[in-house]
Amino acid sequence: MKVLFFGISKDIVGKSEMEISDLTKKTTVNDLKNYLKDEFPEFSNLTSFAVAVNSEYAKDDVSLERNDEIAVIPPVSGG
């Protein structure tokens, strides 16, 4: 699946997108988050980050498909 990274998540991974094929058919958003924390431990330093699946924010229990476009969106601050 194609995963896009924005903001600090892009800095953590070192690129704006990557293909992930290590995940199984029954992978959920939560599984993806745990995978990212395992592969890139700096993700654990984020208080939270959102995941969008095919341009819609997704809850942790949403199943991911091989052809999904995933976006990792870190917390945003501003004033």
Side-chain angles (χ1 to χ4, degrees):
M1 70 189 66
K2 184 178 184 178
V3 182
L4 307 174
F5 298 96
F6 297 92
I8 189 78
S9 69
K10 179 179 165 184
D11 296 336
I12 291 171
V13 175
K15 51 187 166 184
S16 61
E17 66 181 64
M18 67 186 292
E19 289 285 329
I20 297 179
S21 58
D22 298 354
L23 304 172
T24 66
K25 279 189 172 187
K26 296 187 183 217
T27 298
T28 64
V29 167
N30 190 58
D31 295 330
L32 174 64
K33 287 180 175 181
N34 289 331
Y35 172 85
L36 291 172
K37 289 176 184 177
D38 289 343
E39 292 294 312
F40 305 97
E42 289 183 51
F43 270 103
S44 296
N45 296 335
L46 298 178
T47 55
S48 67
F49 59 93
V51 173
V53 179
N54 300 321
S55 301
E56 291 188 27
Y57 284 102
K59 293 184 179 185
D60 284 350
D61 62 348
V62 170
S63 294
L64 302 175
E65 300 294 328
R66 190 173 292 268
N67 60 345
D68 286 339
E69 182 177 80
I70 314 298
V72 176
I73 305 162
V76 179
S77 65

